[in-house]
Amino acid sequence: MRATQQQVTDFMAAEFPQSRCVVESVSDGRATVSRQIGREDLRPGGTIAGPVLMGVADIALYVAILGEIGIVPLAVTTNLNINFLRKPKAAAPIRAYCTLIKCGRSLIVGEVSLFSEGATEPVAHAVGTYSIPPARS
């Protein structure tokens, strides 16, 4: 059973407010999320820290999955690979676009492209896998 954007937004606000991500869209195995960047998100050299980008990618994947299979809180990341492609703009929000590649009964695989707001080229690309808990009868 799919979840609407509002259902996913409400769930994320209640359960993961620390993500600081905004759910911009969720539908048909896709999701877009954004995150404002603050001074605390920067590393030396004035660039966004890698763990921040990885977190945004992971949230985008989770949001797309919840939109596809419904609110399944115990879906968990089993793998996340990320390639940092270019230096993100330190003062610009990060926007992540996720597309689910394969939705199986127990594993879901998706890819995420991350952009600095206003940029045309991605700053990072991630591929991740989530494990879906078995449905209980």
Side-chain angles (χ1 to χ4, degrees), residues 63-93:
V63 165
I65 290 168
L66 296 179
E68 187 67 19
I69 67 170
I71 305 299
V72 180
L74 296 180
V76 295
T77 311
T78 59
N79 185 56
L80 183 64
N81 294 308
I82 190 164
N83 292 298
F84 300 104
L85 304 173
R86 54 190 50 86
K87 185 177 179 177
K89 297 176 186 174

